[in-house]
Amino acid sequence: MNFKLPVLHTLDQLGKLSETEINFESYSANERSSSDIHWLFRPEETGGSGAALIRYKAGGTSPLHVHTGFELAYIIDGEFITDQGTVKKNDLILLPPGSQHNSRSETGALVLIIWEKPAESVEGQ
């Protein structure tokens, strides 16, 4: 599924907003499958928080994990299914610390995710 990507603006060397190319790389952290990521900022750059655009291909999954901080996800396009329910284009998900879920997209999805702290895999899953 081809998604229309949002326009990403960042500050250039003169402190002005400038359009930035969105480049995805394969994403297999925490045993994710069939997904690509464009990091906006990484946990190792901030001391824990992170934000990224994740493009789930049809059939893409994320295994069971627990959130050590808040997670905010905005579904830019497509459909995303979690243990708690299904969300679609323009929906927001706010998950509190301690919440657990796995997720998948049967048709594909483009999702903006912001993590307060990194998620951790749930052992034995």
Side-chain angles (χ1 to χ4, degrees):
M1 181 177 250
N2 283 339
F3 300 110
K4 182 174 179 348
L5 294 176
V7 175
L8 174 61
H9 294 274
T10 58
L11 294 182
D12 65 16
Q13 293 177 347
L14 301 174
K16 303 281 185 186
L17 286 176
S18 176
E19 191 170 323
T20 302
E21 191 171 338
I22 297 174
N23 295 309
F24 287 93
E25 58 189 62
S26 181
Y27 188 46
S28 59
N30 299 329
E31 299 176 21
R32 289 178 190 264
S33 70
S34 298
S35 61
D36 300 318
I37 191 167
H38 174 86
W39 283 102
L40 300 168
F41 53 90
R42 297 173 183 261
E44 54 270 17
E45 297 170 324
T46 65
S49 62
L53 292 169
I54 299 181
R55 181 174 54 197
Y56 286 87
K57 299 171 188 166
T61 64
S62 174
L64 185 63
H65 57 278
V66 62
H67 293 280
T68 60
F70 284 97
E71 177 184 79
L72 177 66
Y74 173 67
I75 313 308
I76 296 169
D77 207 348
E79 182 177 274
F80 198 62
I81 303 164
T82 73
D83 293 335
Q84 293 82 5
T86 300
V87 290
K88 298 179 181 177
K89 182 177 180 174
N90 294 322
D91 286 348
L92 281 167
I93 305 169
L94 179 60
L95 299 172
S99 62
Q100 294 185 32
H101 72 105
N102 60 28
S103 52
R104 70 184 189 284
S105 181
E106 294 175 358
T107 59
L110 180 61
V111 184
L112 168 66
I113 301 180
I114 303 168
W115 299 273
E116 178 189 17
K117 297 177 183 174
E120 296 177 354
S121 294
V122 175
E123 296 298 319
Q125 300 298 316

